Amino acid sequence: MNFTFAAKSFGPQKILSPISLTLKKGKITALMGPSGSGKTTLLRLIAGLDHDDTQTPKKHLKIGMMFQEPRLLPWKTVLENIEITGPERGLLKDLDLENAGALYPRQLSLGMAKRVAFARALARSPDLLLLDEPFTSLDDSRAALMRSLIIAIKDRLNIPVLITTHDRADASALEADIVTLQGRPATLHRIDHSS
Amino acid sequence: MMMRRSVFLPLLSSLALILIWSGLAYVLQSRYLPSPADVASAFLGELTSGALLFHIGATCLRVMGAFCIAIICGTAIGFALGRSPKANLIFDPWLIFALNLPALVIIVFCYLWLGLTETAAIIAVALNKIPNTAVTMREGARALDPALDEVATVFGYSGWSKFNHFILPQLEPFLASAIRNGLALIWKIVLVVELIGRSNGVGFQINFFFAQFDLARIIVYTLSLMVIVGLIEALVIKPWENHARAWRGDS
């Protein structure tokens, strides 16, 4: 799955240089770089939420996306939030949320809300999974649970997974291919192996 | 204890009002201030003759017709202006003009242009309410969360399903406010419309009894309509509002 974008600017400031990124089916790619390097901007370009400077048309893919903030619909219960993208199919149990189905987002901790957002992204049975800083605000055990789920999902669905993170340990634990954004405007660099 | 107090105090206050009214009517002994007993007697007379139900029914149908038109059109206009800064820039002066147009002028113009007809009456009332609804719903549309809009986009929602799942729930508090204020305003304007150009309805009856200085019957019709509007508020609007706000945990 190849994504090619022209440069991306915000006003006079050029954020990203022209970028070409290939994502492989059944592989996790970790997009790394310091804060403000353009990781989320690139993720938004891939998701079709933003355009590059030449208005490259977006690919028509079924995307499952987890934003940095949970962005749950506050008027829907946890179960309803998941089911807006597809059937729940045991995701609540998989994510240790089996007793939370009837709760509203205001009743959840940030960590729980992030797991619900993850379940919502998966319920869609996506062609491509985009996860923006999925492990922040999660305690170690829940982060480990989510890492193992990400690995299981990409194997089961055989889809490419792109995550943004600034923690190399996360990328290593996921056995992910690593690409980094460096410089300003940022250019994309592929690192051969996560180790 | 709190529950009993919340019922008891308003009841006591209402009883006190009736007592003061009775006392004043007894002291003044004037035809311009009928006693509660006179009003009760007039109420029974109008009820048994069937006039009360007939005229209140006519008024309620007009209220319902005008209310539906005003809420649907006002919501559509307000939503469009709230979502499009350009449209708002162009049409905001129109909205301000419509907001400041006296109700009576709109009623007179509708009757002159469309004749003394039912259509003219309902349109006149609706036109009076549409600008208020549009202003409220414009604020609602401006308050929509762009982050949730992106969620809808990325998960492939568009058109009606996006409106139903992502937009309407955010608009509901504003819609509830528009509906509540709309009902309160519309039934009052309907009375004026009926007084000027209809041959039935509560407004027509008030005008009729005004000519006969029959204040008891004017009070009967006014209070009856107020009770019906209060019942709609309590039995329809409030429960819907509570349901719509259940997720906030503050209802």
Side-chain angles (χ1 to χ4, degrees):
Chain A
M1 203 177 275
N2 188 57
F3 294 91
T4 304
F5 299 106
K8 171 67 184 170
S9 309
F10 288 113
Q13 197 175 13
K14 193 182 268 189
I15 303 295
L16 297 176
S17 297
I19 277 173
S20 179
L21 174 65
T22 302
L23 302 174
K24 295 176 200 154
K25 281 187 175 178
K27 280 298 280 183
I28 299 170
T29 303
L31 177 60
M32 299 190 63
S35 296
S37 58
K39 300 188 294 292
T40 298
T41 304
L42 179 56
L43 215 64
R44 290 173 59 82
L45 289 176
I46 293 170
L49 294 173
D50 221 336
H51 288 286
D52 60 23
D53 293 348
T54 60
Q55 305 284 311
T56 301
K58 73 169 186 175
K59 281 188 183 346
H60 289 285
L61 291 168
K62 204 157 75 161
I63 288 173
M65 185 167 183
M66 182 181 170
F67 295 86
Q68 262 185 44
E69 330 80 55
R71 298 196 188 184
L72 302 178
L73 306 185
W75 52 86
K76 288 190 184 285
T77 63
V78 164
L79 182 61
E80 289 166 345
N81 261 288
I82 294 170
E83 289 183 337
I84 63 162
T85 69
E88 181 262 341
R89 288 190 305 253
L91 285 163
L92 285 175
K93 187 164 181 280
D94 291 345
L95 283 160
D96 202 9
L97 290 164
E98 24 190 352
N99 298 320
L103 298 180
Y104 284 99
R106 68 180 167 82
Q107 298 168 302
L108 306 177
S109 67
L110 183 57
M112 286 172 87
K114 288 202 83 159
R115 279 181 282 147
V116 176
F118 182 57
R120 179 177 65 181
L122 295 180
R124 198 179 184 203
S125 300
D127 301 327
L128 167 65
L129 191 58
L130 302 175
L131 308 173
D132 197 0
E133 304 278 3
F135 307 116
T136 51
S137 316
L138 294 180
D139 59 46
D140 290 346
S141 64
R142 294 274 157 62
L145 172 72
M146 198 179 282
R147 274 195 295 268
S148 62
L149 266 165
I150 292 171
I151 292 169
I153 292 292
K154 63 100 182 161
D155 287 340
R156 195 197 310 162
L157 300 179
N158 193 32
I159 55 168
V161 179
L162 179 63
I163 73 163
T164 65
T165 179
H166 48 257
D167 190 344
R168 188 171 279 261
D170 286 332
S172 299
L174 290 167
E175 296 175 354
D177 290 343
I178 297 179
V179 289
T180 61
L181 281 171
Q182 291 167 8
R184 176 63 45 126
T187 50
L188 200 63
H189 300 266
R190 187 171 285 275
I191 295 175
D192 280 344
H193 195 269
S194 58
S195 59
Chain B
M1 183 66 189
M2 283 297 287
M3 177 73 179
R4 280 168 63 185
R5 182 180 287 185
S6 70
V7 174
F8 181 69
L9 282 179
L11 205 67
L12 196 70
S13 162
S14 305
L15 209 64
L17 184 68
I18 293 172
L19 279 174
I20 292 168
W21 173 13
S22 300
L24 275 173
Y26 179 76
V27 170
L28 294 174
Q29 290 292 323
S30 164
R31 65 183 297 192
Y32 297 116
L33 184 62
S35 69
D38 296 334
V39 172
S41 161
F43 172 75
L44 282 176
E46 290 298 302
L47 189 66
T48 48
S49 74
L52 184 66
L53 292 179
F54 170 72
H55 290 289
I56 286 217
T59 297
C60 284
L61 283 176
R62 286 180 193 123
V63 168
M64 220 184 319
F67 177 79
C68 290
I69 294 171
I71 292 296
I72 292 169
C73 295
T75 299
I77 293 168
F79 186 74
L81 297 186
R83 294 294 273 181
S84 164
K86 193 174 174 187
N88 186 55
L89 205 64
I90 294 169
F91 292 109
D92 189 51
W94 294 29
L95 197 57
I96 292 169
F97 175 76
L99 271 173
N100 290 301
L101 211 55
L104 194 59
V105 173
I106 295 175
I107 295 166
V108 167
F109 269 75
C110 281
Y111 276 145
L112 285 174
W113 285 338
L114 302 171
L116 292 173
T117 61
E118 202 62 58
T119 309
I122 290 173
I123 288 177
V125 179
L127 284 178
N128 271 293
K129 178 57 193 163
I130 285 171
N132 301 65
T133 305
V135 167
T136 306
M137 297 314 292
R138 180 174 63 179
E139 291 311 307
R142 283 174 176 165
L144 292 176
D145 186 349
L148 295 182
D149 200 52
E150 289 187 349
V151 173
T153 302
V154 87
F155 289 121
Y157 277 84
S158 61
W160 168 249
S161 64
K162 179 179 173 182
F163 184 78
N164 189 31
H165 287 287
F166 289 82
I167 295 174
L168 191 58
Q170 294 183 73
L171 290 178
E172 266 175 347
F174 296 89
L175 197 57
S177 168
I179 285 173
R180 172 169 288 152
N181 296 337
L183 193 64
L185 183 73
I186 279 175
W187 80 264
K188 289 167 192 162
I189 298 174
V190 164
L191 296 196
V192 179
V193 166
E194 290 173 343
L195 188 143
I196 294 174
R198 303 307 304 141
S199 55
N200 54 35
V202 174
F204 169 80
Q205 287 294 85
I206 287 173
N207 194 28
F208 177 73
F209 291 122
F210 167 66
Q212 298 179 33
F213 298 101
D214 190 343
L215 268 71
R217 280 177 170 73
I218 291 176
I219 293 172
V220 164
Y221 277 92
T222 310
L223 286 182
S224 301
L225 197 56
M226 284 171 70
V227 166
I228 287 173
V229 172
L231 284 175
I232 293 171
E233 160 85 24
L235 300 178
V236 180
I237 296 176
K238 191 73 184 161
W240 170 68
E241 207 177 349
N242 286 344
H243 172 73
R245 291 184 173 175
W247 59 271
R248 292 171 190 263
D250 59 359
S251 57

